[in-house]
Amino acid sequence: MIENIRKYTGLIIVVIVVLVLGFIFMDTSGLFQQRAGGGADYIQIDGRNYSQGDFNRIGRNPLNLAQSLRSFDENGIQIMQFASTLMSGAQTEETAAQNFFACRMILKEAFDEFGVHPSQQEIEKFIMGLSTFQVRPAPGAPPGSTTGEFDQAAYNEFIDSFIGRLGLKESDLQALVRDVIATTKLREIIGDGLTVSRDLAETSTIVNTQQIEASVASIEIAPFRESIKPSDEELRTFWEEVKDGYMTEQRIKVSYFIAAPTYPEAAADEAAPEGEQTDEQKAAAADAKAEKEAKEIEAKAEADKQLAIEVDSFVNELTDADGANFDALIEASNWKLVATDWFTPSSVPDELKIQPRATSLGKSVADQLFALTTGPDALAPFSKAIAVGQDQWLFARLDALEEPRIQTFEEAKEEITKRYIDEKADEALKEHVEGKITAIKESMEAGKSFAEAAKEAGLTTTELGPFGPSDTLSDGYTAAELYTPASSVNPGEIAEPIYNEKQAIILSVIKRQIIKDDNRGQQIDATMERLAADNANRAFDAWLTQRLENAEVRDLTKG
């Protein structure tokens, strides 16, 4: 036994070092987060104030967790639908998190009101059904596929090493899943009683499975754009009408440092002895090399650990002093502080385009810098310690902030000119198309075919089909844009004109054919289920939107 241990000394040393590294290199960004529990009031919902700690624990961080669990299995889709519904069409990341938080608080009351309380067994079953936590099949299987078996190791890894980065625990994952399940049930309760006509479902099924033959003519928009030459006076008048939609980008100045560990120089390799070596000499040399490499890894790990301790100490001292000692701490630590000039999200300095090593999902370093504010908390201008590169830490202070403002006419002139030309060209094209359609209809009423009437109006026609909603068409036309307008038009009639960024399309239906299908009954049943789900979703979304509006959500950081 002792002989075996001696024989594998090098391997044992490497294994021990790897285990040490597993601790040292785990994501420690949670250690460097500014204190989030409690604190000043951050958001108000229905007259009640909540702290930033509450907001992060129930809103922002669980939203990041939900986004990390996106998958296309049934349960993953429910999570995506839940997150999307609660974000309620928000246009910014912060508003999305605020809506998510507010809606969770609203739903919590609704669950009690309607008596919707999923059991622990339901929660665990749902989690085990997520493909994220299922065993992957052997190589060669389709991407994203699983065996359907629960992977306890993958789940443990997710709980032990991932959600802690978000400041969450296993109970927070279970609470999120509980709300997803309860929301699905509540959606069914609110949508209950909304009936779907089978006749409507049958009509919808037939309309969406018919085959269509059509004749089309197109009119390019490019000549209309080229003919429009606006004066400055016209542009300024137009600008006054639309200027509120033209804002500058947010601008910031920051001071930051990037701390890197100092590694000891690697020792030179020992020269190999001359002549033939015995097996024992080869084994001894291998052990010596493994031991040397292990010591180098251990030394680097110790340097990384020491840097992590220094950064942690820096953050703690900075927090204790409410940020007042930032410059003094930098100087004492011998870190180089870099001050930037103004920059925007589209002009981030190359030095700050460095990738995070372990940070909040989907957030680059720049994203985190632009999320900094000047108050009301004294620590609001300071970032958390961001793990970047392979072994570095970045920390930043917001020095100046310029919120978006309405652009001046000169700043927006190029964009305004393009918009003015596009809108005027669209108006001219529509007027031109209406004139052509009127002329074509008059000729068709006189007995001419659509092709003959279009030719008389100076247009060239193309016959297409038969085609379904997803078929490929010729001459650059797509079934996706033609099928729906044509699907409810009688043969011999002209559909509403179709506009895209390049052209207008005038379409006349030649024939619509219903294809016999022995599975029509099943198709109608499926359509009824889809329409019922759509009705329930619309009813629930309207109910939640109204509740959200009534709650009068206020961001207390903006006064």
Side-chain angles (χ1 to χ4, degrees):
M1 180 67 178
I2 295 175
E3 175 62 19
N4 287 338
I5 291 176
R6 188 202 66 77
K7 183 175 180 181
Y8 295 104
T9 298
L11 177 59
I12 291 172
I13 290 172
V14 171
V15 170
I16 291 173
V17 170
V18 168
L19 291 175
V20 171
L21 287 175
F23 171 77
I24 292 173
F25 287 122
M26 70 179 182
D27 176 22
T28 54
S29 61
L31 299 175
F32 307 126
Q33 300 250 5
Q34 293 172 12
R35 297 165 185 169
D41 290 338
Y42 187 78
I43 190 171
Q44 184 182 86
I45 301 170
D46 207 13
R48 180 179 175 181
N49 294 353
Y50 297 88
S51 69
Q52 185 165 10
D54 296 327
F55 177 70
N56 289 339
R57 180 174 54 83
I58 301 172
R60 189 193 309 280
N61 295 344
L63 176 57
N64 284 338
L65 175 59
Q67 291 170 334
S68 76
L69 292 171
R70 289 177 296 185
S71 59
F72 292 98
D73 57 85
E74 182 179 351
N75 294 358
I77 291 173
Q78 281 192 51
I79 291 176
M80 287 192 285
Q81 183 183 28
F82 174 79
S84 176
T85 299
L86 269 61
M87 287 189 287
S88 193
Q91 299 299 310
T92 67
E93 182 179 331
E94 186 65 15
T95 305
Q98 289 176 354
N99 288 351
F100 187 84
F101 174 79
C103 287
R104 284 194 81 183
M105 304 307 294
I106 291 168
L107 287 171
K108 185 176 184 299
E109 293 183 2
F111 298 152
D112 293 335
E113 179 184 341
F114 288 91
V116 180
H117 299 290
S119 67
Q120 184 63 26
Q121 184 179 8
E122 287 179 287
I123 293 170
E124 292 175 359
K125 182 179 179 182
F126 186 99
I127 292 173
M128 293 173 70
L130 287 166
S131 60
T132 302
F133 305 131
Q134 292 183 346
V135 176
R136 303 297 173 190
S145 61
T146 71
T147 65
E149 299 176 33
F150 180 61
D151 189 336
Q152 185 69 56
Y155 178 75
N156 292 346
E157 175 69 16
F158 186 86
I159 297 300
D160 295 340
S161 302
F162 181 79
I163 65 173
R165 303 176 189 177
L166 302 176
L168 301 175
K169 300 177 292 186
E170 182 178 18
S171 59
D172 295 307
L173 169 62
Q174 293 183 351
L176 174 67
V177 169
R178 177 200 64 212
D179 286 0
V180 171
I181 297 172
T183 299
T184 300
K185 294 182 177 182
L186 187 60
R187 193 186 298 270
E188 293 172 356
I189 292 172
I190 291 175
D192 187 39
L194 298 175
T195 59
V196 175
S197 163
R198 188 171 182 84
D199 289 342
L200 174 63
E202 182 176 6
T203 300
S204 177
T205 300
I206 291 173
V207 165
N208 290 310
T209 55
Q210 62 184 316
Q211 292 286 302
I212 297 172
E213 293 181 40
S215 180
V216 297
S218 63
I219 302 173
E220 299 292 322
I221 194 172
F224 294 90
R225 289 193 177 123
E226 292 167 1
S227 67
I228 298 170
K229 310 290 183 183
S231 66
D232 270 8
E233 183 179 353
E234 290 173 316
L235 289 175
R236 285 186 182 277
T237 300
F238 180 69
W239 161 246
E240 289 299 324
E241 298 172 358
V242 301
K243 64 182 180 181
D244 288 348
Y246 289 82
M247 306 293 291
T248 61
E249 288 187 284
Q250 179 184 2
R251 296 203 307 166
I252 61 173
K253 289 182 181 181
V254 300
S255 293
Y256 71 93
F257 68 84
I258 298 177
T262 302
Y263 295 136
E265 291 188 13
D269 292 330
E270 293 184 9
E274 298 180 0
E276 187 71 24
Q277 292 182 314
T278 65
D279 289 344
E280 287 187 359
Q281 287 175 319
K282 291 179 180 178
D287 284 347
K289 182 179 180 182
E291 185 172 357
K292 172 179 172 294
E293 292 174 350
K295 286 181 178 178
E296 290 174 356
I297 293 173
E298 188 174 9
K300 287 187 175 183
E302 181 60 33
D304 288 325
K305 179 181 177 182
Q306 185 59 39
L307 177 62
I309 292 171
E310 291 175 10
V311 175
D312 190 28
S313 175
F314 168 86
V315 173
N316 287 336
E317 291 184 47
L318 183 76
T319 304
D320 290 339
D322 283 336
N325 55 351
F326 180 71
D327 292 300
L329 287 174
I330 296 292
E331 185 176 352
S333 300
N334 290 321
W335 292 323
K336 180 183 177 183
L337 189 64
V338 179
T340 72
D341 198 350
W342 289 107
F343 66 93
T344 67
S346 61
S347 62
V348 177
D350 290 341
E351 295 78 13
L352 292 176
K353 291 179 181 178
I354 187 170
Q355 290 301 308
R357 179 169 73 251
T359 187
S360 299
L361 287 171
K363 287 188 178 181
S364 66
V365 169
D367 288 335
Q368 297 180 63
L369 297 182
F370 279 99
L372 298 176
T373 62
T374 54
D377 192 286
L379 291 172
F382 296 94
S383 73
K384 69 177 183 179
I386 307 171
V388 296
Q390 292 186 342
D391 49 23
Q392 300 167 315
W393 293 95
L394 182 148
F395 195 90
R397 176 188 64 194
L398 177 66
D399 294 332
L401 167 65
E402 184 181 281
E403 295 288 2
R405 58 169 174 78
I406 295 176
Q407 294 181 38
T408 65
F409 172 73
E410 293 301 329
E411 287 173 331
K413 184 176 180 180
E414 184 177 342
E415 289 182 81
I416 288 297
T417 301
K418 181 180 183 306
R419 178 174 172 180
Y420 180 91
I421 291 173
D422 286 345
E423 290 190 9
K424 295 302 180 182
D426 286 344
E427 292 173 7
L429 176 63
K430 287 178 180 178
E431 183 178 347
H432 182 75
V433 167
E434 287 172 4
K436 292 293 185 182
I437 291 176
T438 298
I440 291 171
K441 285 183 176 179
E442 289 176 354
S443 295
M444 291 176 70
E445 288 173 1
K448 294 183 179 179
S449 68
F450 173 77
E452 292 170 335
K455 184 177 181 180
E456 193 174 84
L459 302 176
T460 302
T461 58
T462 301
E463 290 194 4
L464 302 171
F467 62 89
S470 58
D471 290 340
T472 301
L473 303 180
S474 60
D475 294 338
Y477 294 104
T478 64
E481 67 177 346
L482 301 185
Y483 187 87
T484 299
S487 62
S488 56
V489 175
N490 293 324
E493 294 183 355
I494 297 175
E496 287 296 314
I498 302 156
Y499 296 93
N500 58 42
E501 62 179 15
K502 293 183 178 181
Q503 61 190 355
I505 302 171
I506 301 173
L507 178 149
S508 176
V509 173
I510 298 173
K511 182 190 297 184
R512 289 167 47 206
Q513 184 177 6
I514 298 173
I515 306 300
K516 182 179 179 181
D517 193 327
D518 293 337
N519 295 320
R520 182 74 74 208
Q522 295 177 4
Q523 293 172 353
I524 295 171
D525 290 340
T527 300
M528 288 189 69
E529 290 181 10
R530 177 178 58 78
L531 293 176
D534 289 345
N535 287 344
N537 288 338
R538 280 193 288 269
F540 178 81
D541 291 349
W543 171 85
L544 185 59
T545 298
Q546 188 61 56
R547 288 282 185 107
L548 187 61
E549 290 177 0
N550 294 344
E552 296 183 348
V553 179
R554 287 183 57 212
D555 184 343
L556 299 179
T557 66
K558 296 181 179 178

